[in-house]
Amino acid sequence: MSADRSRRTVHAFGFGRRGASAVVVVTLLSGLAGCAAEPAAAPTSDPRTVRPAPPSAAPSTPAPGPAAATGRWRVVEGVGAIAGGLAAPWAVVALPDGSIAVSERDSGIVRVITAGGVVDELGRLDDVVSGGESGLHGLAVLDEGDRQWLYAYHGAAADNRVVRVPLTSSDDGWRWGEVEEVFSGIPRARTHNGGRIAFGPDGLLYVATGDAQNVGAAQDPEQLGGKILRLTPDGRPAPGNPFGNAVYSLGHRNVQGLAWTADGTMWASEFGQNSWDELNRIDAGGNYGWPAVEGLAGDERFRDPVAVWPTAEASPSGIAAVGETVFMTGLRGERLWAIDVSAADAAVGEPVVVLDGYGRLRDAVATGDGGLWVLTNNTDGRGDPREGDDLLLQVPLGRID
């Protein structure tokens, strides 16, 4: 990436195909053919009000089931800011009326962004205890037609937990109801808290947990740390889970991204320790190796990742899937990658940087109309905040095929 951090660039790209190789080792890409993007809209004097193009309409069901789009996708020109002035934002999710909810890690506040780009407080989770990397993390929405639920993953005094809040629509916007506990007892530490939640195409709630600095827990199917959990919407272990409890997959260090491609395949991004960050294809009962292995192991006991990045170049967080393309955000890497996962076998296309210059990127969400929302994360204590940070970006996409 250019030393000029204020430059905001969108790179054009195409996907290459790989042969039988199951793993792509990604190094920093230089000299990519690209084109300059539209600069993000500048904040007004009130940093919580930005006047760019309005956000895309939310899909009628914001749960991220298989995308209606098919094929492979790329970022095109026209990136702009929907809103700015966010404080350590962590997750973004569509609300049923087309507005957008964003969690703020340290404050425990969920912000709402209107179609005009105005940021307001939707509600506050009073039991959030922040510190280190812990606090308010992932969000998910369940639209039951006559009732909407906002789910959240957050750190509390003694654990990480999932809660939900009923949202009621009114003339003044959404009304925040009484918080209900959905699932608790997930181990918490200053780091490795996981935190991404999402409803899958099966209508069940998937919860990514970290090892909470207890590496041995990741290999124990009776412990909740270092796992992906699968729950019913009311917090019970989902029927058919492979270990007869809430655990869906194990052997994870710190998963912070969940998404499903158009064929229903589940994908997860994962922080490594000293060697490799990972993109994994997730299967029920799969063991992904931590702490016995990191990255490509070739050990039949464990599932190898389909793509890896040196830890100095990625620190992957949220991911989004559009068609057969997975878009992955990077914190330390300060990039958005696109990974072609359309191959029928274990191979994937060469991951390519498609967006950089905005600093740390925390989350990416498919909008349902051929675009992405991408959340920057420069105010989390590890970034280099600039005027207007943090931003929610609208990133347009175009089909490759």
Side-chain angles (χ1 to χ4, degrees):
M1 184 169 62
S2 167
D4 179 8
R5 292 170 59 95
S6 65
R7 180 177 59 85
R8 298 175 177 181
T9 304
V10 178
H11 295 288
F13 71 99
F15 286 116
R17 298 301 296 269
R18 300 180 67 86
S21 173
V23 175
V24 179
V25 179
V26 181
T27 57
L28 289 176
L29 302 176
S30 60
L32 288 176
C35 54
E38 297 284 340
T44 66
S45 57
D46 178 356
R48 293 193 181 277
T49 304
V50 177
R51 299 298 182 189
S56 303
S60 57
T61 302
T70 58
R72 299 176 296 162
W73 293 73
R74 63 187 180 92
V75 173
V76 297
E77 291 187 23
V79 176
I82 294 173
L86 301 168
W90 210 93
V92 56
V93 68
L95 296 175
D97 66 347
S99 57
I100 303 168
V102 177
S103 62
E104 293 186 343
R105 184 192 67 187
D106 298 337
S107 67
I109 293 173
V110 178
R111 301 286 178 186
V112 61
I113 302 172
T114 70
V118 176
V119 182
D120 203 351
E121 181 174 329
L122 178 62
R124 182 189 299 263
L125 294 169
D126 293 330
D127 290 338
V128 169
V129 178
S130 60
E133 295 174 358
S134 184
L136 175 55
H137 291 152
L139 300 176
V141 170
L142 179 63
D143 185 353
E144 295 182 331
D146 59 344
R147 181 170 57 178
Q148 287 76 40
W149 293 98
L150 178 68
Y151 287 69
Y153 180 113
H154 73 83
D159 63 359
N160 285 302
R161 57 186 56 183
V162 179
V163 299
R164 67 180 182 178
V165 183
L167 298 180
T168 305
S169 181
S170 70
D171 292 341
D172 297 328
W174 292 104
R175 294 193 180 276
W176 181 272
E178 185 175 350
V179 177
E180 299 180 8
E181 182 180 296
V182 173
F183 192 86
S184 62
I186 300 167
R188 176 206 161 157
R190 286 188 61 81
T191 60
H192 307 181
N193 290 287
R196 195 68 59 188
I197 60 176
F199 281 97
D202 54 8
L204 296 171
L205 180 65
Y206 291 78
V207 179
T209 76
D211 68 15
Q213 302 177 1
N214 176 8
V215 296
Q219 286 295 315
D220 183 352
E222 298 302 317
Q223 297 193 52
L224 298 176
K227 307 297 190 301
I228 295 175
L229 312 178
R230 185 171 67 164
L231 308 172
T232 63
D234 61 1
R236 291 174 291 111
N241 278 357
F243 302 102
N245 56 15
V247 174
Y248 187 72
S249 63
L250 73 163
H252 299 290
R253 181 174 180 269
N254 193 18
V255 170
Q256 287 195 3
L258 300 173
W260 289 260
T261 42
D263 62 359
T265 300
M266 183 179 179
W267 301 89
S269 61
E270 182 164 347
F271 283 77
Q273 183 175 33
N274 297 318
S275 301
W276 302 110
D277 294 327
E278 301 175 355
L279 178 68
N280 286 295
R281 179 185 284 109
I282 302 299
D283 297 311
N287 187 333
Y288 292 84
W290 177 255
V293 299
E294 183 179 352
L296 175 63
D299 187 324
E300 63 183 11
R301 296 174 298 167
F302 307 121
R303 307 293 176 91
D304 276 335
V306 298
V308 299
W309 290 253
T311 55
E313 299 175 6
S315 297
S317 191
I319 61 175
V322 180
E324 285 79 45
T325 303
V326 174
F327 294 91
M328 188 185 86
T329 61
L331 292 164
R332 184 183 298 183
E334 300 188 352
R335 289 162 167 79
L336 179 73
W337 284 271
I339 305 103
D340 170 22
V341 294
S342 64
D345 57 14
V348 299
E350 188 75 45
V352 178
V353 177
V354 294
L355 183 72
D356 66 12
Y358 289 90
R360 292 163 62 82
L361 303 181
R362 174 63 76 178
D363 197 12
V365 172
T367 63
D369 62 353
L372 299 174
W373 293 323
V374 174
L375 194 61
T376 74
N377 203 205
N378 297 310
T379 59
D380 71 344
R382 295 183 177 178
D384 181 17
R386 288 159 284 189
E387 185 178 359
D389 275 341
D390 266 312
L391 302 173
L392 177 62
L393 302 173
Q394 186 161 292
V395 179
L397 302 178
R399 260 186 87 143
I400 296 173
D401 59 8

